[in-house]
Amino acid sequence: MQKFVKGLILLLVVLCSKNMVGQPDSLFFEKEKLKTDEPLWTLKNKAGVDITQVAFVNWNAGGTNSISGLLGFESSLKYETKNLTWVNVATARYGVNKQEEQTLRKTDDLMDITSNLGYRRDTLSNWYFSARFNFKSQFSNGYNYPDTENAISRFMAPGYLFLGGGMEYGKNIEKFSMYFSPLTLKSTFVLDERLANLGSFGVDPAVYDEEGNLIRRGQKVRRELGILFTSAYESQIFYNIYLKNGISLYTDYINNFGNVDVDWQVSLDCKVNNYVRATLASHLKYDDDIKILEEAEDGDLVEKGARIQWKQILGLGVVVDF
């Protein structure tokens, strides 16, 4: 699995480098020059909801009535002078699904806050000295359905915190950027005692004696120091069709250096009009610290190791900018 992931990452880096070298400079989004020396604040908000409903009446092929909804919100606040940019982005998503004879189930859950501070020496350069903060978690409990008694994730279990500094290149940091940090601190929080004792999400598990008595509780925080590379690109590829591509690669210096955590998101937004939008998105993740648990014949959960995680979303809904 590790060789496969390394090969995939190498292929992605080569393709990204080839595309950037092969494209003329005019294809990149040019950074708009400030008309004044005064600092500029820019606030953008976007909220949307996607709803899918399926109903059957005397349908001879069979089927299950269902309804699902996905609520999303994104807010960005940008401060900019000639040589300094400070971009803050908060993203929240929550989705649910209800089918006949089943309880309400969660389909998406994300809390993401990013703050990026960049400084360049002069206006002729597109290279920034950059510091970045990122926090991710979720709003509610996650379950391995149909089991809704034992949560496999909660708010701040896990929670991820990235803090580091490095260099960033981008003619427009909002639409195209590459960021490299040789020193990034990654903290993984598992603030749930049961999950921490199980060693979920890479923290050290609890220690028991031969009789099953607890000797040492599981750790609730895991800290890593490593290399972080991110790249983000946004473009209008066809009329009213917008592509967003973002990838994050992280490897820890101390714990298994060279084993790379991957977080890759690609989305296509088709703008029908000012309010209606169709979305096709893909989210691929690999983290060697996240082990897949499967239920054994005796009912106990057995660890099966890390796996590639993939999520695909297709939705049609309403979006409002304000």
Side-chain angles (χ1 to χ4, degrees), residues 243-303:
L243 169 69
K244 293 182 180 180
N245 179 61
I247 187 170
S248 172
L249 309 174
Y250 181 83
T251 184
D252 180 39
Y253 284 118
I254 302 174
N255 301 305
N256 199 7
F257 179 75
N259 187 79
V260 182
D261 297 338
V262 182
D263 193 326
W264 183 21
Q265 299 186 60
V266 181
S267 67
L268 288 173
D269 287 343
C270 179
K271 185 178 180 181
V272 180
N273 54 41
N274 290 334
Y275 300 103
V276 180
R277 177 202 62 187
T279 302
L280 175 62
S282 170
H283 190 180
L284 184 146
K285 294 175 62 176
Y286 177 82
D287 188 338
D288 191 60
D289 296 327
I290 300 179
K291 311 300 183 182
I292 303 299
L293 299 178
E294 294 184 1
E295 187 175 351
E297 295 181 357
D298 57 2
D300 294 334
L301 294 178
V302 179
E303 185 178 289

Side-chain angles (χ1 to χ4, degrees), residues 36-251:
T36 175
D37 293 334
E38 296 296 324
L40 178 64
W41 286 94
T42 305
L43 175 64
K44 295 180 180 179
N45 297 306
K46 179 186 294 184
V49 58
D50 296 336
I51 297 178
T52 304
Q53 187 264 342
V54 180
F56 300 91
V57 177
N58 299 325
W59 191 255
N60 61 2
T64 302
N65 296 341
S66 67
I67 184 170
S68 60
L70 174 63
L71 179 65
F73 175 78
E74 180 177 307
S75 179
S76 65
L77 178 63
K78 181 178 181 181
Y79 173 84
E80 184 177 19
T81 64
K82 285 188 175 180
N83 296 329
L84 180 71
T85 62
W86 183 25
V87 182
N88 304 277
V89 180
T91 304
R93 290 199 308 269
Y94 197 84
V96 294
N97 174 266
K98 180 66 174 69
Q99 295 187 11
E100 283 184 310
E101 300 178 358
Q102 289 185 353
T103 59
L104 192 69
R105 298 187 176 187
K106 184 173 66 173
T107 58
D108 200 0
D109 191 356
L110 174 67
M111 177 192 303
D112 191 326
I113 300 173
T114 300
S115 182
N116 189 24
L117 180 66
Y119 174 79
R120 60 180 177 176
R121 293 179 177 178
D122 55 67
T123 57
L124 299 179
S125 175
N126 292 311
W127 286 97
Y128 291 79
F129 299 99
S130 184
R132 180 171 295 190
F133 164 89
N134 177 251
F135 168 78
K136 292 182 180 180
S137 189
Q138 61 191 57
F139 292 98
S140 65
N141 295 353
Y143 299 97
N144 186 17
Y145 297 106
D147 178 13
T148 57
E149 297 294 330
N150 302 305
I152 61 174
S153 63
R154 299 179 184 270
F155 172 71
M156 290 299 293
Y160 297 101
L161 175 66
F162 290 86
L163 182 63
M167 296 293 296
E168 183 166 16
Y169 176 83
K171 290 181 176 294
N172 189 317
I173 291 181
E174 290 182 345
K175 296 185 180 296
F176 169 75
S177 68
M178 289 189 304
Y179 170 78
F180 174 77
S181 170
L183 288 174
T184 292
L185 174 66
K186 176 186 176 183
S187 299
T188 303
F189 300 91
V190 184
L191 304 186
D192 178 89
E193 186 171 347
R194 186 181 67 86
L195 294 176
N197 289 340
L198 290 174
S200 300
F201 309 105
V203 299
D204 292 338
V207 177
Y208 300 88
D209 60 18
E210 295 180 354
E211 298 178 354
N213 298 316
L214 180 65
I215 299 177
R216 187 184 67 197
R217 299 181 186 274
Q219 291 189 354
K220 294 186 176 182
V221 182
R222 172 186 171 92
R223 294 182 177 89
E224 302 172 70
L225 182 65
I227 300 172
L228 176 65
F229 171 82
T230 69
S231 178
Y233 180 65
E234 177 180 341
S235 176
Q236 180 176 344
I237 57 176
F238 297 107
Y239 178 72
N240 279 357
I241 299 180
Y242 300 85
L243 169 69
K244 293 182 180 180
N245 179 61
I247 187 170
S248 172
L249 309 174
Y250 181 83
T251 184

